[in-house]
């Protein structure tokens, strides 16, 4: 075709890795291609113009986009093809462009951040102004709108069956071929001249549908029959369908054309037809070829057994289906793919018992072909390839224990990669169907309930998690017995429920009992026992017993890091970060930073920067940096952790809220009180909404907000908040707890700011006595209380007492802390030491 724009035939500087091959049989569509090109170049809308090509299945939307890409590629400096039928994969495809644009790769900054930077660079036109993105099969406009680089100088082309794109983009309807295009296509596809009259009748019979014409041409090419003979067979097939009363949403002639191809394949290689019927019950996404290879070990597969056990026959069957345009075989990717229209026609051709049997075998292929351990990060890609087939295959309907075990592993996989929302969606669906089919006491139902409780907990739905786990625990004790491993694992989860409710003492008692039971049943060093030990350490830390907590965290970390099997990288990172956290809470900030940096590097390398536990580790490391005096480094990392958590989970998620507190504290320490106040006020309200008004974390956030009120000059409001927090923390945790001490320390500062120095001294003296008794006279918190009391005594006129305390306190600083220690430096500055609150993850 002569190009009126005189576009050079050249390969763009950036030619995407997943560009589909050009269809050598592409025919016609010149008017559509011209319309798309003209619209992209001349629209008066924003410089980027999403063109949504939509239409029914089988009309050739994708092939039209492929041809546009190849025909006009010389007009662009960057071209990228993005499969968009799964929204979660769009982000990764965009992020993959980052290095090609001179931007940090997703492995360095995270997929979310890399994708966002690519979108922003394209919007700016840097470094390429002429670019083309093709989003193929984007049937969920709301899911990918945020990924489209609006306002940039390039072009976006979208293929979709969803006409909802018309509200957001200029759309071009792709219909069936014109008759001239049909005739030209048949001639080109058959590689010979065809009788115009016969070809015209064939196109008329098939409604000019490109997919049906492709299959008809493939049939004729492989069988050698004429167009007239094909039409006769098609007519006979259509009459048979009418006699059978088959109902279909597609024209009978299209269904007939498909069945002719299937019958021809069946005559040549009968096993190929069985393969096609099997593939129809997967999803329309690529099917891993290895599933069929691994499936030969499944005893209960009847239809497919003789095929799966014969490597040569399997390859021949797939090749035959490919020759008749019934499947797409991608040898490089190792996948098989069937058009969704063909899948629907195949399923429609079977009676219900046949559908049930093929669906059962697909379930078994998925179950037997899946990796065994969803905690093994090296197998996550394999699990990711199977997730798109869970829903379309109707996996939730199976009662087979092997299939249900695989379904549970899918939930576990999604949990371990941090996709909690999708894990919950699947778990809810499985639970509803399994309970209805098998009853609430079914072992698979109970195992699934345990994992659902964990997912709900990670989503911050603490009350729902606790309620679910209480029911699960009671049923498991009846069905499995109190010492069964599944029962014991729920007892471990229930300890987390108690922590989330602010019942720290009850959680410690629960986890101590759980540890003893785990050690008795599973052994002292089993992976499950080590998880309990780590949780018990958290309980001690939440009760301010940092010595015991540190000992237990170190024990869990050392045993997990030396374990040969059974310890996942998620658990490893969680244990490592927990140890770094308790070291920081013990006052060794340098060691906490060193441990935290190592843990954060491990998380980025093994799990990725966007994994929830990696984000948590970044958040805790930012706090260690802040305590160590690296305020700029703390702010940078705290901002990264907060933004990632917010993008992944939203503002009301516990991880996001915890990261927001760390960021607000860093902003306050750097003197940005306006930004700190806005964030702290918002986060304080979220804690009250998620955890409840009486939770220790809610009171702790109030003390942070009170600090900012005081620094903004509103000491009365600060005092009001700190008084409420002090009362609430004393009621929940008692007087001897770091959170309670923190509220009292800050309340004394509020009183001093209002000139109420006598009250500040009285409160400070009481706190000093309690912190020394609880932590020791040389503890950094006791020394901070003493520094503030020196200031308050002098302000109140008690100079002799102030001088004596000053001499004693600074002698202790010199004896216990090296020069340059941030606590010692701050004490020497002569300023008051404020104590902020950083809520840990539970």
């Amino acid at each position: 075709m002569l190009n009126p724009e005189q576009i050079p035939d050249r390969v763009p500087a950036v030619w995407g890795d997943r560009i589909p091959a050009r269809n050598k049989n592409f025919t016609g569509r010149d008017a559509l291609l011209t319309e798309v090109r003209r619209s992209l170049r001349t629209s008066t809308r924003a410089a980027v113009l999403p063109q949504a090509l939509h239409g029914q299945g089988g009309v050739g939307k994708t092939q039209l986009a492929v041809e546009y890409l190849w025909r006009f590629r010389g007009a662009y400096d960057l071209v990228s093809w993005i499969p968009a039928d799964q929204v979660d994969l769009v982000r990764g495809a965009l992020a993959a462009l980052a290095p090609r644009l001179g931007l940090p790769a997703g492995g360095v900054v995270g997929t979310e951040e890399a994708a966002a930077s690519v979108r922003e660079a394209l919007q700016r036109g840097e470094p390429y102004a002429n670019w083309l993105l093709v989003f193929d099969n984007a049937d969920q406009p709301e899911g990918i709108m945020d990924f489209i680089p609006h306002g940039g100088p390039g072009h976006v082309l979208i293929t979709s069956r969803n006409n909802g794109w018309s509200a957001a983009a200029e759309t071009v309807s792709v219909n069936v071929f014109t008759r001239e295009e049909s005739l030209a296509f048949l001639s080109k596809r058959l590689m010979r001249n065809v009788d115009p009259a016969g070809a015209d009748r064939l196109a008329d019979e098939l409604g000019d549908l490109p997919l049906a014409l492709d299959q008809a041409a493939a049939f004729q090419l492989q069988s050698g029959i004429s167009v007239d003979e094909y039409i006769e067979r098609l007519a006979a097939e259509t009459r048979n369908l009418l006699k059978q009363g088959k109902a279909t949403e597609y024209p009978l002639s299209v269904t007939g054309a498909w069945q002719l191809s299937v019958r021809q394949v069946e005559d040549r290689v009968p096993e190929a037809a069985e393969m096609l019927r099997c593939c129809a019950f997967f999803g329309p996404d690529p099917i891993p070829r290895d599933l069929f290879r691994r499936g030969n070990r499944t005893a209960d597969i009847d239809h497919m057994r003789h095929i799966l056990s014969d490597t040569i026959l399997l390859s021949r069957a797939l090749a035959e289906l490919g020759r008749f345009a019934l499947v797409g075989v991608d040898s490089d990717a190792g996948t098989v793919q069937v058009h969704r229209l063909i899948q629907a026609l195949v399923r429609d051709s079977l009676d219900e018992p046949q559908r049930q049997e093929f669906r059962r075998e697909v379930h078994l292929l998925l179950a037997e072909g899946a990796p065994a351990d969803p905690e093994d990060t090296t197998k996550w890609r394999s699990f990711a390839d199977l997730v798109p087939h869970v829903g379309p295959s109707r996996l939730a309907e199976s009662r087979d224990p092997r299939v249900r075990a695989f379904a549970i592993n899918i939930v576990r996989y999604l949990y371990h990669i941090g996709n909690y929302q999708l894990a919950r969606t699947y778990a809810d669906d499985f639970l509803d169907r399994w309970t209805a089919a098998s009853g609430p006491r079914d072992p698979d139902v109970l195992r699934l309930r345990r994992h659902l409780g964990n997912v709900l907990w990670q989503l911050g739905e603490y009350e729902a998690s606790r309620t679910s786990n209480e029911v699960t625990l009671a049923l498991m004790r009846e069905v499995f017995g109190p010492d069964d491993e599944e029962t014991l694992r729920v007892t471990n989860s229930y300890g987390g429920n108690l922590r989330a409710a602010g019942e720290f003492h009850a959680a410690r008692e629960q986890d101590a009992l759980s540890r003893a039971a785990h050690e008795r049943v599973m052994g002292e060093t089993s992976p499950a026992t080590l998880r309990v030990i780590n949780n018990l350490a958290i309980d001690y830390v939440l009760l301010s017993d940092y010595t015991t907590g540190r000992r237990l965290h170190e024990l869990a970390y050392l045993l997990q890091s030396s374990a040969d099997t059974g310890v996942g990288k998620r658990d490893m990172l969680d244990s490592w970060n927990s140890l770094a956290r308790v070291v920081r809470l013990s006052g060794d900030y340098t060691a906490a930073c060193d441990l935290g940096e190592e843990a954060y590097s491990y998380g980025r390398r093994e799990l990725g920067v966007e994994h929830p536990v990696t984000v948590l580790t970044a958040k805790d490391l930012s706090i260690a940096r802040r305590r160590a005096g690296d305020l700029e480094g703390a702010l940078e990392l705290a901002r990264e952790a907060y933004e990632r958590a917010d993008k992944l989970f939203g503002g009301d998620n516990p991880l996001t809220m915890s990261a927001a507190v760390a960021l607000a504290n860093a902003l306050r320490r750097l003197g940005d009180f306006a930004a700190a106040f806005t964030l702290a006020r918002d986060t304080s309200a979220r804690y009250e909404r998620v955890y409840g008004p009486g939770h220790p974390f809610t009171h702790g956030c109030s003390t942070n907000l009170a600090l900012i009120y005081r620094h903004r000059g509103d000491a009365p409001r600060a005092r009001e908040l700190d008084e409420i927090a002090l009362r609430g923390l004393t009621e929940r945790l008692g007087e001897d707890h770091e959170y309670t001490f923190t509220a009292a320390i800050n309340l004394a500062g509020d009183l001093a700011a209002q000139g109420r120095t006598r009250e500040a001294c009285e409160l400070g003296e009481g706190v000093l006595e309690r912190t020394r008794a609880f932590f020791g006279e040389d503890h950094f918190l006791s020394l901070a209380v003493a520094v503030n009391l020196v200031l308050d005594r002098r302000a109140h006129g008690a100079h002799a007492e102030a001088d004596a305390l000053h001499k004693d306190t600074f002698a202790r600083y010199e004896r216990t802390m090296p020069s340059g220690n941030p606590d010692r430096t701050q004490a020497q500055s002569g300023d008051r030491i404020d104590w902020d609150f950083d809520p840990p993850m539970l």
Side-chain angles (χ1 to χ4, degrees), residues 309 361 384 453 518 568 596:
S309 61
E361 294 200 358
H518 274 75

Side-chain angles (χ1 to χ4, degrees), residues 7-26:
I7 295 175
D9 184 14
R10 65 179 180 86
V11 179
V14 178
W15 183 246
D17 296 331
R18 305 184 70 174
I19 303 295
R22 193 172 193 175
N23 184 354
K24 60 181 175 44
N25 296 312
F26 186 88

